């Protein structure tokens, strides 16, 4: 599925649509080049889940948790990982228990496309806006409009 995102309002709307369908155990794998809008979409999802505060980019911390949201959420930016093996050192599985995961640069963590609850989204620049190429895993089929 291809979704044109001509402005921030459209990005926020996509984030709200994903947030409304998000369940514990889900992964939203955000792929795209630098500046493609991965963090912007992640922030839109987090805001739509009800977080009213600042949403820092986890570029340096790698993981940010939002335990008070429903579902609880882990926002990860794997850009700085040198190998997928580093994911184990972070204890990601422990953070993910009972939570959804927003994963930026998922390929640096070995990828999540093999998980049935993975919603893959590739963001590309398109003029002044973005294009979202959405690849739902089996568990997302029927959940996305």
């Amino acid at each position: 599925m291809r979704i044109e995102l001509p402005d921030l309002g459209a990005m926020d709307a996509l984030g709200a649509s994903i947030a409304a369908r998000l369940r514990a155990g889900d992964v939203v794998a955000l792929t795209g080049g630098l500046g493609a809008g991965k963090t912007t979409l992640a922030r839109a999802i987090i805001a739509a889940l009800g977080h009213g505060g600042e949403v820092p980019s986890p570029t340096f911390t790698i993981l940010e948790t939002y335990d008070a949201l429903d579902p609880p959420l882990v926002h990860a930016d794997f850009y700085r990982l040198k190998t997928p093996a580093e994911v184990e050192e972070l204890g990601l599985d422990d953070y993910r228990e009972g939570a959804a995961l927003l994963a930026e640069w998922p390929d640096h963590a070995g990828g999540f496309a093999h998980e049935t609850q993975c919603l893959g989204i590739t963001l590309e620049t398109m003029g002044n806006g973005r294009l979202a190429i959405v690849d739902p895993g089996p568990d997302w089929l029927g959940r996305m409009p």
Side-chain angles (χ1 to χ4, degrees):
M1 164 183 359
R2 299 166 70 87
I3 302 171
E4 291 187 19
L5 305 168
D7 53 33
L8 284 176
M11 186 78 80
D12 288 344
L14 177 58
S17 178
I18 293 167
R21 294 159 175 80
L22 198 62
R23 301 176 186 159
D26 285 345
V27 177
V28 179
L30 302 170
T31 304
L34 290 170
K38 297 177 297 296
T39 300
T40 301
L41 181 55
R43 286 179 174 145
I45 294 167
I46 293 166
L49 287 171
H51 182 74
E54 184 180 337
V55 178
S57 172
T59 300
F60 295 103
T61 59
I62 302 177
L63 300 173
E64 291 286 337
T65 59
Y66 299 88
D67 296 328
L69 299 180
D70 183 20
L73 189 74
V74 177
H75 180 196
D77 184 333
F78 298 118
Y79 181 74
R80 294 185 327 119
L81 297 186
K82 292 180 177 62
T83 69
E86 291 179 79
V87 171
E88 287 185 38
E89 295 172 23
L90 295 171
L92 181 62
D93 287 342
D94 293 333
Y95 285 104
R96 286 186 64 187
E97 186 148 339
L101 172 65
L102 298 180
E104 297 185 44
W105 301 95
D107 56 316
H108 290 216
F112 299 92
H114 63 281
E115 296 186 22
T116 61
Q117 288 182 261
C118 182
L119 178 67
I121 300 176
T122 300
L123 293 166
E124 298 177 353
T125 56
M126 185 178 77
N128 291 329
R130 304 289 185 267
L131 174 68
I133 302 164
V134 181
D135 182 19
D139 194 61
W140 278 90
L141 295 175
R143 273 203 265 170
M144 287 302 291

